[in-house]
Amino acid sequence: MQIADNTKILMFYEMKRIRMVQDHIESHYLQDEMKTPVHLCIGQEAVAVGACSALQKTDYISSNHRSHGHYLAKGGNLNNLIAELHCKMTGCSKGYGGSMHIVDTSVGHMGSSSIVGGGIPIGTGLGLAISMKQQNSVSVIFFGDGAADEGVLYESINFAILKKLPVIYILENNQWSVCSHVSSRQAGKNIFHHAPQKLLMTKKIDGNNVLEVYETVSEAVNFARKGYGPSFIECETYRILGHAGCASQDADGYRDLKEADEWKKKCPVNTFQEKLIQGNFLSIEDIENMESRIQAEIEDAFDFAQKSPLPPSHEMTNYLFK
């Protein structure tokens, strides 16, 4: 698959932007101005950017508690994201959701859920709605290896196969479910990799290679738009920081630090940066200019969030299902 040079540079910019936003959140988290738990996606930027670069604005995504990267890669507004982390009414969920309940239908982000596996049936239902309305959209669901342990995944994929729904299930296998390694929870290769390709397109790929993610998801999107049904894509990656909060809040002793160091060497942002420099797509000066631009945007977003008002108490029961 030929990928245009400007597409590669744009994908790198988005990955760098997500990484710098995460770093900024992490460095400011203990100031306690962000009144929400945060689950950072440092190390997993290539999955979000590679997948969302293959989508159109009219396509949908459903996400999970670790969703900052998915939101920004789908075109979400940075000011609204940072305001949501501060629980301000200018946030993308009007300050009611916090980091784990991001939603912005204007860019096709149909919601993230703090319930492990909670986005899987929602995204499958979106696929059913697309099919019933005969739309040309696709529904992409991001979930982790902890959610892959849940029975709802098997029910949802079975239903999607039965109805040939345009749903793409993207498993971000970051190796850890809180403090439990995937090898202590799953026996061998995921069962869906044994499915007949005519029923379910399945791939297991390098989730730290943004170009491989982009190519594979593009193939799955074409598969879905042609009416062939769902796909299951496992992206191998790694959660560099702890489960939640900032680095200093990560519990000791549950993982070998050598393992984390080995994965840091495979950092998706740094390795892609090296490839682009070696291929003369970007210079060091180009990257420094990008970083300055992103840093200014981040500082503006935090300033916007801090100056934004809290939701008024009389609106406490608004936006609830009744």
Side-chain angles (χ1 to χ4, degrees):
M1 181 180 186
Q2 289 292 324
I3 302 176
D5 294 350
N6 60 347
T7 301
K8 293 178 184 175
I9 293 171
L10 182 59
M11 286 196 282
F12 172 72
Y13 181 85
E14 292 300 325
M15 290 170 66
K16 174 71 86 174
R17 180 172 178 251
I18 292 170
R19 172 64 61 87
M20 289 180 65
V21 169
Q22 301 296 290
D23 284 340
H24 204 83
I25 293 170
E26 198 266 342
S27 66
H28 285 69
Y29 190 60
L30 289 182
Q31 293 177 5
D32 203 29
E33 292 182 351
M34 289 173 271
K35 302 295 185 182
T36 174
V38 296
H39 300 75
L40 302 175
C41 62
I42 292 175
Q44 300 179 217
E45 295 87 351
V47 179
V49 172
C52 289
S53 297
L55 302 180
Q56 297 175 1
K57 189 174 181 179
T58 50
D59 295 322
Y60 304 117
I61 66 169
S62 303
S63 183
N64 53 38
H65 55 279
R66 202 177 303 283
S67 68
H68 302 167
H70 305 145
Y71 176 62
L72 293 175
K74 190 61 173 65
N77 183 284
L78 180 59
N79 281 8
N80 298 150
L81 171 64
I82 301 304
E84 190 59 42
L85 302 188
H86 288 74
C87 298
K88 300 294 183 70
M89 63 184 301
T90 53
C92 55
S93 303
K94 301 187 186 302
Y96 289 90
S99 174
M100 292 195 285
H101 301 97
I102 290 167
V103 59
D104 188 345
T105 58
S106 70
V107 295
H109 189 311
M110 306 307 281
S112 53
S113 172
S114 61
I115 298 171
V116 176
I120 294 171
I122 294 171
T124 304
L126 284 167
L128 178 62
I130 292 168
S131 179
M132 293 177 70
K133 292 180 178 179
Q134 299 184 329
Q135 296 174 334
N136 194 36
S137 302
V138 300
S139 171
V140 171
I141 308 167
F142 294 100
F143 56 98
D145 47 283
D149 298 345
E150 301 277 343
V152 69
L153 175 64
Y154 300 84
E155 295 179 43
S156 297
I157 290 185
N158 178 68
F159 184 75
I161 292 173
L162 180 69
K163 299 293 184 183
K164 290 189 180 297
L165 301 182
V167 183
I168 301 167
Y169 298 86
I170 296 184
L171 163 55
E172 287 186 83
N173 186 350
N174 69 13
Q175 318 294 319
W176 290 94
S177 176
V178 189
C179 300
S180 300
H181 192 262
V182 66
S183 61
S184 69
R185 297 178 286 106
Q186 298 179 11
K189 195 161 63 172
N190 193 288
I191 191 170
F192 291 115
H193 292 308
H194 300 290
Q197 289 287 314
K198 66 179 182 180
L199 294 179
L200 179 70
M201 179 188 136
T202 76
K203 294 283 179 66
K204 183 172 184 174
I205 62 173
D206 179 0
N208 279 16
N209 184 331
V210 67
L211 300 182
E212 187 173 353
V213 175
Y214 175 73
E215 289 177 349
T216 307
V217 175
S218 295
E219 184 182 353
V221 167
N222 290 334
F223 190 80
R225 292 202 204 282
K226 290 178 180 176
Y228 296 151
S231 302
F232 175 83
I233 301 169
E234 179 178 356
C235 300
E236 282 198 305
T237 183
Y238 195 75
R239 188 194 76 203
I240 289 177
L241 294 187
H243 169 65
C246 57
S248 63
Q249 295 178 311
D250 191 22
D252 291 330
Y254 72 88
R255 62 178 171 181
D256 186 346
L257 294 181
K258 290 182 181 176
E259 175 186 285
D261 288 341
E262 285 301 311
W263 276 96
K264 286 177 185 175
K265 294 175 185 173
K266 305 177 197 173
C267 167
V269 181
N270 292 343
T271 54
F272 194 38
Q273 176 174 303
E274 285 302 310
K275 283 182 183 176
L276 293 176
I277 291 174
Q278 290 174 7
N280 294 319
F281 294 104
L282 285 175
S283 66
I284 296 294
E285 185 180 7
D286 292 331
I287 293 167
E288 289 174 348
N289 289 336
M290 282 184 182
E291 290 173 343
S292 296
R293 192 170 135 202
I294 295 168
Q295 184 63 30
E297 187 189 11
I298 292 171
E299 289 172 5
D300 285 347
F302 272 76
D303 185 57
F304 171 80
Q306 288 159 357
K307 290 178 179 174
S308 292
L310 289 165
S313 57
H314 68 268
E315 289 190 0
M316 184 64 72
T317 58
N318 288 357
Y319 315 113
L320 299 176
F321 290 104
K322 298 179 180 177

